[in-house]
Amino acid sequence: MNKNILVIGGEGKNGRRVVEKLRNMGCSVFSTTRTKEEVKTDLLFFDWKDVSTYEPTLSNIDKVYIVHPDTSVPDAYEQINLLTSCMVEKGVSKAVLLSGRGQELVLKCEEILINSPLEWTIIRSAWFNQNFSEGHFLQGIQSGSVTFMAGSVKEPFVDLDDLSDAVVECLIHKKYNGKIYEVTGDELLTFEEAVETIGSSLGRDIKYHFLNKNEYLELLKNIGLPHFVAEHMTVAFGEILDGRNENVGNGIQEILGRNPKKFKDFVKSSQFS
């Protein structure tokens, strides 16, 4: 019998899918919001930067899906460490952490859960297909010009339908406890190939423009990002895109017993408007 489940980051494109699927299964699910005015019965106020919000949000919660905005930032380690301590104190039994792939700071965040008394599952996710249809690259797809600092490196993009199904399974079943899964698609594409696939499907000429790290840093600053934010993003992207993640994982197959959705099938079933 599953008790109350909390999805931290449940309003994001990943978290909201997990929330919806859990509710469709009849689970009691709570999500978090960073806006006090939006608090209601199943939407709880939570702010990673405000430790005083941790304990109240965890009251009467049995399991937690942790989606941190960026586990590669230095603050993430302390925040996840404090959250884990609160979960233990409040009687949470299990946590599933959405993690990245291969970054040193991300691995340190994983170790917090691994070394805790909680039951845990860690999901190391590739870049989402939906970054092209709902997130980072959508505006470029719509305008016909996507600019990024990924050159010839290939990425095993994962579909959020697959990822959210995997997360739900890990939350509700004990057989995934104590395991780390590499959740990716089963094919490697460059970002340029991904953009070309979308353009071909839409019957539009969508260009991909590669910028090196310094050029992309200047672009981010020029569009208004503070220097420290722009610098962190370029450093983090530089790590992720240095070839260390140019491989596929088998997490979807291990958890769901099926093959991941192909990128071309994601494109055919998506709206880019």
Side-chain angles (χ1 to χ4, degrees), residues 1 44-45 48 64 67 82 104 136 161 166 178 223 236 253:
M1 178 68 179
L44 308 175
F45 178 62
W48 280 106
V64 180
V67 183
L82 289 169
E104 184 177 346
H136 192 71
D161 283 338
I223 63 175
Q253 295 90 331

Side-chain angles (χ1 to χ4, degrees), residues 7-15 32-34 46-50 54 65-77 79-80 83 97-100 103 106 109 128 131 136 229 232-233 236-237 240:
V7 177
I8 296 177
E11 293 186 301
K13 54 184 176 288
N14 167 30
T32 64
T33 176
R34 289 179 289 178
F46 179 87
D47 186 346
W48 280 106
K49 296 180 181 180
D50 184 355
Y54 291 15
Y65 178 40
I66 305 171
V67 183
H68 191 281
D70 187 352
T71 49
S72 70
V73 298
D75 288 348
Y77 180 85
Q79 290 165 352
I80 291 177
L83 179 71
L97 173 67
L98 181 68
S99 187
Q103 294 170 278
V106 172
C109 290
F128 306 153
N131 284 334
H136 192 71
V229 174
H232 166 72
M233 289 178 65
F237 288 153
I240 296 169

Side-chain angles (χ1 to χ4, degrees), residues 99-101 124-129 131 155-158 163 182-185 245 247:
S99 187
R101 303 178 75 215
R124 295 173 177 166
S125 174
W127 287 65
F128 306 153
N129 289 343
N131 284 334
E155 173 69 20
F157 299 101
V158 67
L163 174 62
E182 295 276 341
V183 174
T184 77
N245 296 321
N247 52 77

Side-chain angles (χ1 to χ4, degrees), residues 108-175:
K108 288 183 177 179
C109 290
E110 293 178 359
E111 289 172 1
I112 295 169
L113 276 185
I114 292 171
N115 295 323
S116 78
L118 297 170
E119 296 176 344
W120 56 267
T121 306
I122 291 169
I123 292 184
R124 295 173 177 166
S125 174
W127 287 65
F128 306 153
N129 289 343
Q130 281 76 6
N131 284 334
F132 293 97
S133 61
E134 301 175 26
H136 192 71
F137 303 115
L138 176 58
Q139 185 175 356
I141 294 294
Q142 293 172 336
S143 69
S145 178
V146 176
T147 301
F148 193 46
M149 55 176 283
S152 61
V153 68
K154 294 192 174 187
E155 173 69 20
F157 299 101
V158 67
D159 197 87
L160 280 176
D161 283 338
D162 287 336
L163 174 62
S164 56
D165 281 347
V167 170
V168 168
E169 286 293 304
C170 291
L171 279 168
I172 64 178
H173 295 299
K174 285 183 173 290
K175 64 181 178 178

